């Protein structure tokens, strides 16, 4: 997806903000040009998913693309029990990433090792499940919605649900509904982007940073920061801020401290298209 968007824009530098499993659909924010400088902020944001799991079978990948490695009895499904099993997964926790993941060991993605039949130790990582809600269930399947922190694997969550119900499980469908701060915003399919008569529509890179305070600079202040110098801006907030020059152009990120002192943190340069797309 990333490479196809790059081709549409003349192959600028670009990066995505969190890979999706081959099975999955949904929002994939892509940063173009200088907007790659805010990719780390987007990676750290809350994600929302809608998932469907099937009870009674566990696969080596955790989803329906893998090989069945365990079969279990499927309990009779009852709404109260399902809701309790899901709600028990809310909150901060430690999660061990699956072998079939893009995490790297000695420069090799774990999924490549897994495809060779290798298993390595994976340290548990701190994640948080903010919300998890049962949407529907029938026979051996159930569908649920989850909002979670960076680094959460819904395939692992599905397996935990299976164990909590006295069975085993794997994902059969997964859709990323949003990646903050783009909750509820329009998404474009690759096919729709390719059918456009012109280049894909891009959001301004500052739209990835609505949680940071904005600072309006004078011409002299903007010039000082662009030369790597600090400047004083009355009322500037402490911590990271968004910087705008006298013409309202987004300049990048700065860092404010006591007394209104502001220093450049990560400034943008003009080098073609910059923005964030959401195929």
């Amino acid at each position: 997806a990333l490479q196809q968007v790059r081709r549409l824009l003349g192959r600028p530098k670009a990066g995505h903000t969190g890979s999706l499993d081959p099975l999955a659909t949904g929002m994939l924010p892509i940063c173009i040009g200088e907007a790659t400088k805010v990719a780390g902020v987007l990676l750290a944001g809350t994600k929302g998913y809608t998932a469907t799991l099937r009870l009674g079978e566990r696969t080596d990948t955790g989803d329906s693309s893998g090989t069945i490695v365990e079969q279990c009895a499927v309990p009779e499904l009852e709404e109260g029990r399902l809701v309790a099993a899901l709600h028990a997964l809310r909150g901060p926790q430690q999660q061990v990433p699956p072998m079939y993941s893009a995490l790297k060991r000695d420069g090799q993605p774990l999924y490549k090792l897994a495809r060779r039949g290798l298993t390595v130790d994976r340290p548990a990582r701190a994640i948080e499940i903010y919300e998890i809600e049962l949407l529907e269930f029938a026979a051996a399947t159930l569908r649920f919605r989850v909002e979670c922190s960076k680094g959460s694997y819904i395939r692992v969550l599905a397996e935990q649900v299976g164990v909590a119900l006295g069975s085993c499980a794997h994902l059969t469908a997964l859709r990323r509904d949003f990646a903050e701060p783009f909750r509820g915003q329009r998404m474009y399919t690759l096919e729709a982007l390719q059918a456009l008569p012109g280049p894909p529509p891009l959001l301004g890179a500052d739209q990835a940073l609505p949680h940071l305070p904005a600072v309006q600079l004078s011409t002299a202040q903007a010039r000082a920061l662009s030369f790597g110098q600090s400047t004083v801006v009355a009322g500037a907030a402490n911590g990271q801020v968004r910087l705008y020059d006298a013409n309202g152009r987004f300049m990048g990120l700065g860092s404010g401290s006591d007394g209104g002192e502001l220093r450049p943190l990560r400034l943008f340069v003009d080098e073609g298209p910059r923005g964030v797309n959401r195929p």
Side-chain angles (χ1 to χ4, degrees), residues 14-29:
H16 64 72
T17 61
S19 59
L20 287 168
D21 292 341
L23 173 83
T25 62
M27 183 175 284
L28 178 65

Side-chain angles (χ1 to χ4, degrees), residues 16 58 71 78 104 112 116 120 132 183 208 211 269:
H16 64 72
R58 182 173 67 86
Q71 293 184 313
E78 187 271 321
K104 292 185 177 180
K112 289 190 175 181
R116 286 158 41 194
V120 298
I132 188 165
R183 185 194 298 251
H211 60 292
V269 297

Side-chain angles (χ1 to χ4, degrees), residues 178-194:
F178 69 86
E180 291 287 14
F182 304 121
R183 185 194 298 251
Q185 288 206 28
R186 177 181 178 183
M187 290 184 273
Y188 295 84
T189 65
L190 284 171
E191 292 76 17
L193 290 179
Q194 291 162 346

Side-chain angles (χ1 to χ4, degrees), residues 78 81 85 103 127 139 154 173-174 194 212 218 248:
E78 187 271 321
R81 185 181 179 191
L103 296 177
I127 66 160
I154 310 303
L174 180 64
Q194 291 162 346
L212 297 181
S218 68

Side-chain angles (χ1 to χ4, degrees), residues 236-241 254-258 260-263:
N238 287 348
Q240 286 193 26
V241 296
S255 178
S257 58
D258 291 338
E261 183 178 3
L262 198 63
R263 60 183 178 84

Side-chain angles (χ1 to χ4, degrees), residues 9-62:
L9 289 167
R11 299 186 182 278
K13 67 178 179 180
H16 64 72
T17 61
S19 59
L20 287 168
D21 292 341
L23 173 83
T25 62
M27 183 175 284
L28 178 65
I30 291 178
C31 297
I32 305 295
E34 286 290 278
T36 54
K37 292 178 178 178
V38 302
V41 176
L42 294 174
L43 278 167
T46 297
K47 311 292 192 301
Y49 297 90
T50 297
T52 303
L53 68 79
R54 178 177 179 81
L55 292 165
E57 296 172 342
R58 182 173 67 86
T59 69
D60 55 357
T61 61

Side-chain angles (χ1 to χ4, degrees), residues 4 71 203:
Q4 291 186 57
Q71 293 184 313
L203 298 177

